[in-house]
Amino acid sequence: MDTPSASLQSLVKSLRATRPRLILSPPTQPRRASVALIIRLKPAPSIVFEGHEPQGYDGPVVPVDDFGLGLTIDDFFRLDWVNHPDTVPEIMFIRRACASSSSSSTAQRWSSHIAFPGGRQEPQDKSPAYTALRETWEEVGVDLADREFVEVGRLDEREITTSLGKRLLMILSPFVFLQTTPFSPKPDINSDEVSSIHWIPLSMLTPPFSPDRWSSIHIDISTRLSPRNKFIRWALRGLVGKMQFGCVLLPDEPDFVADGFDHNVEFDEPPEGGSGTWYNQTEGKRMLRLWGLSLGMTLDLLAHSDVESTLLTASATNSQPPSPQRTSANSLPPRTPVTVKSSFEDAWKEALAAQKEKDEAGGQSLQSTANGGSNGGFDSMRDGVVRLHHGAGMAATAPLGSQVDLKVKKRRRGVGPGVTAVFPRFTYPDVNFWIWVFGRRYRQVVKGWEAAVRRPDRASDRRTNWSGAALSTFYAAVRHALVVAIIVRALATVGGVAGVAWWLYRRVGGGLGGVEL
């Protein structure tokens, strides 16, 4: 019979056989960040390991040599306890610490957010992978450089944007690690950054999702368009409504909590919405809400699984003898990454060319500025990587900004619905209509992306930053749609007020005109 670990092994092999896209940071924004996606296999409750026997137990035990430490990936997946049908593959999420009212706006925005451990790359970091290791150690006290963990691959890099996709914040590099031991190291949680750790079964994150597991989050867009002026925020809220992002509901059952954290505390909703914790009044329990970038990376990872393939079974695994020599080397090395261009590169070059023409006309030179602007970006990115928002592969018939169609037909493995899962809709239907009107270029990009997903893998397709193009064209359509929606609503409001005033004038004026003095 098929086992969960066989499906995970298939995922790992696909991940290591797929060339990740690495995005070069444009010289105007060299900032980068890394996150760690950590997977483990939770042993079946009936399995007993040497040194961990219950009192009075005299049955069979798994010897220390078969725990999995130091084994190759192939040998690890041949272990009996790994292939037990009740062994459960899980992935680790963290819940960000609760922000106080005096915290910065950024801290309040991500208060209680469900995420992967990680953070910004520091100047002293040797590589993006080192950043992932350092941030994981600082946030949860887990050393991914220990023998208990092995890096099994990386996902495509992503462009993190703000101002409705108009400004690049940073490039994000996701790395995937596998825990090769039945016992997870005890974390040392940094309570200033993390409130709790959650190990979630991969089966709960695998599409399709049932209606009671798939929901939406409303984000107040006015706080992003005008964060300081309360009156303008109020007006924008009435003119364009809110953004809706899809989310997956997960049980709020932490495996570890930070010192001083009260699991029963009431979480305050961030000013713009989007809390990672939500109380389900119908069922009377609290839930985690996985959405946005974290959801997109999760779906990208699971896109490497092939549920229709023939999986290894316990009997088939046992029939394969272990390797004669067990070493720490991996028999399946990862593929060489492919470097692609940031979707913001063309805009930077156009701006640079325009400035150069202006300076030449005025007798000025851009030499010193150009040299100084590009140095730090390229050198620091050489061992870095780059790409956009999320995976790939969206339904050809999906309306612009709709919730993700989780049934992608005839796609290659490693290409999933991560982008469409994080693209928002709006609460006002006319805004969605205008996004569709201005989304012609976006639909062309999606069509080309889907064609690349379904045809045989080609080098030219891997060198194309499809997700970056989809993100930039989608939010370009959103910006145009919002401008039109605001103008139309403003005109309608003015017209309505004028109409009411005219009607009142006719009523009052007509009544006064008929009075005899």
Side-chain angles (χ1 to χ4, degrees):
M1 61 180 177
D2 297 343
T3 62
S5 63
S7 179
L8 177 60
Q9 182 183 22
S10 178
L11 181 153
V12 170
K13 286 186 175 181
S14 172
L15 184 65
R16 296 177 70 80
T18 303
R19 298 181 188 273
R21 287 184 177 92
L22 312 182
I23 306 174
L24 290 174
S25 294
T28 53
Q29 181 53 282
R31 186 180 299 164
R32 304 182 70 86
S34 299
V35 295
L37 285 68
I38 307 172
I39 302 173
R40 74 174 184 183
L41 285 158
K42 184 179 180 180
S46 60
I47 298 178
V48 179
F49 293 86
E50 182 180 351
H52 300 268
E53 301 91 340
Q55 187 174 3
Y57 179 82
D58 59 355
V61 297
V62 177
V64 174
D65 290 343
D66 288 339
F67 279 15
L69 283 175
L71 299 187
T72 66
I73 294 177
D74 289 341
D75 284 338
F76 174 75
F77 278 105
R78 292 191 179 102
L79 296 175
D80 288 341
W81 73 266
V82 171
N83 286 279
H84 193 284
D86 293 331
T87 293
V88 180
E90 297 179 327
I91 188 169
M92 188 181 81
F93 293 97
I94 61 173
R95 174 164 46 198
R96 291 292 175 188
C98 303
S100 63
S101 57
S102 60
S103 302
S104 65
S105 58
T106 302
Q108 292 183 23
R109 174 179 295 181
W110 302 118
S111 176
S112 78
H113 189 71
I114 307 305
F116 297 108
R120 292 183 182 180
Q121 181 174 335
E122 300 294 342
Q124 66 270 20
D125 290 347
K126 301 176 181 178
S127 67
Y130 182 89
T131 301
L133 269 63
R134 177 183 56 78
E135 285 287 339
T136 301
W137 171 254
E138 292 177 357
E139 291 184 345
V140 297
V142 173
D143 190 355
L144 297 176
D146 281 347
R147 296 176 61 209
E148 290 91 345
F149 299 94
V150 58
E151 181 188 335
V152 295
R154 62 195 302 178
L155 302 177
D156 286 348
E157 292 187 335
R158 288 143 173 80
E159 291 170 345
I160 311 302
T161 64
T162 187
S163 301
L164 294 178
K166 200 171 182 180
R167 185 164 66 92
L168 178 65
L169 287 179
M170 65 183 70
I171 304 295
L172 180 66
S173 304
F175 293 86
V176 184
F177 295 86
L178 176 67
Q179 177 185 303
T180 57
T181 176
F183 303 105
S184 300
K186 185 178 180 181
D188 182 12
I189 302 177
N190 181 351
S191 59
D192 292 334
E193 299 191 42
V194 178
S195 61
S196 56
I197 292 177
H198 303 255
W199 285 99
I200 303 295
L202 291 181
S203 59
M204 299 184 66
L205 300 165
T206 304
F209 303 110
S210 60
D212 61 333
R213 295 278 313 286
W214 182 262
S215 184
S216 62
I217 285 180
H218 289 188
I219 300 296
D220 185 1
I221 190 177
S222 66
T223 59
R224 300 187 179 188
L225 298 179
S226 180
R228 296 181 181 178
N229 192 303
K230 293 184 179 180
F231 175 77
I232 295 180
R233 288 206 306 266
W234 174 82
L236 287 173
R237 198 176 297 120
L239 290 173
V240 300
K242 295 184 177 181
M243 291 189 295
Q244 291 178 314
F245 290 87
C247 70
V248 178
L249 299 178
L250 302 170
D252 186 0
E253 300 171 355
D255 292 83
F256 301 95
V257 297
D259 292 339
F261 172 68
D262 182 5
H263 181 240
N264 297 316
V265 69
E266 292 291 335
F267 289 89
D268 295 330
E269 187 78 4
E272 66 175 22
S275 172
T277 306
W278 171 71
Y279 187 77
N280 186 343
Q281 296 183 352
T282 303
E283 300 182 7
K285 60 182 180 181
R286 209 162 58 179
M287 308 290 290
L288 303 178
R289 298 194 294 189
L290 180 65
W291 67 285
L293 189 60
S294 300
L295 174 59
M297 288 187 288
T298 302
L299 294 178
D300 278 357
L301 174 66
L302 295 177
H304 286 276
S305 62
D306 186 6
V307 295
E308 298 179 356
S309 66
T310 303
L311 303 179
L312 294 176
T313 63
S315 58
T317 302
N318 294 334
S319 65
Q320 300 176 6
S323 301
Q325 295 181 348
R326 292 180 171 180
T327 66
S328 59
N330 294 318
S331 59
L332 184 62
R335 300 292 296 276
T336 303
V338 177
T339 302
V340 300
K341 184 176 63 174
S342 168
S343 61
F344 289 81
E345 184 76 12
D346 290 337
W348 175 78
K349 287 183 177 179
E350 291 173 3
L352 185 64
Q355 183 66 37
K356 185 175 182 179
E357 292 179 1
K358 180 180 178 181
D359 290 346
E360 288 177 350
Q364 300 176 4
S365 174
L366 269 181
Q367 186 67 33
S368 60
T369 304
N371 290 342
S374 60
N375 244 351
F378 271 137
D379 290 344
S380 61
M381 290 314 109
R382 242 163 238 214
D383 27 338
V385 265
V386 180
R387 172 191 134 154
L388 175 73
H389 218 122
H390 306 283
M394 25 199 121
T397 58
L400 188 64
S402 66
Q403 288 186 356
V404 60
D405 180 354
L406 298 169
K407 298 180 179 179
V408 183
K409 298 180 180 179
K410 297 181 180 179
R411 61 167 174 81
R412 288 197 309 276
R413 294 175 64 188
V415 185
V419 168
T420 51
V422 299
F423 280 177
R425 290 177 61 84
F426 284 77
T427 53
Y428 290 165
D430 62 314
V431 177
N432 295 323
F433 168 76
W434 288 115
I435 293 176
W436 180 86
V437 169
F438 292 106
R440 180 172 176 271
R441 176 57 182 157
Y442 167 81
R443 292 191 293 273
Q444 290 177 341
V445 171
V446 171
K447 186 176 180 180
W449 195 356
E450 289 170 341
V453 166
R454 288 173 172 82
R455 62 178 171 241
D457 194 12
R458 301 192 307 194
S460 59
D461 291 334
R462 292 301 303 170
R463 294 192 186 99
T464 301
N465 187 359
W466 290 109
S467 59
L471 182 71
S472 60
T473 53
F474 173 80
Y475 277 109
V478 170
R479 293 193 296 270
H480 287 100
L482 291 179
V483 170
V484 172
I486 290 173
I487 293 175
V488 170
R489 275 193 170 77
L491 292 176
T493 302
V494 172
V497 171
V500 171
W502 177 252
W503 179 80
L504 290 175
Y505 172 78
R506 296 278 297 184
R507 292 270 300 181
V508 176
L512 292 176
V515 176
E516 295 183 2
L517 300 176

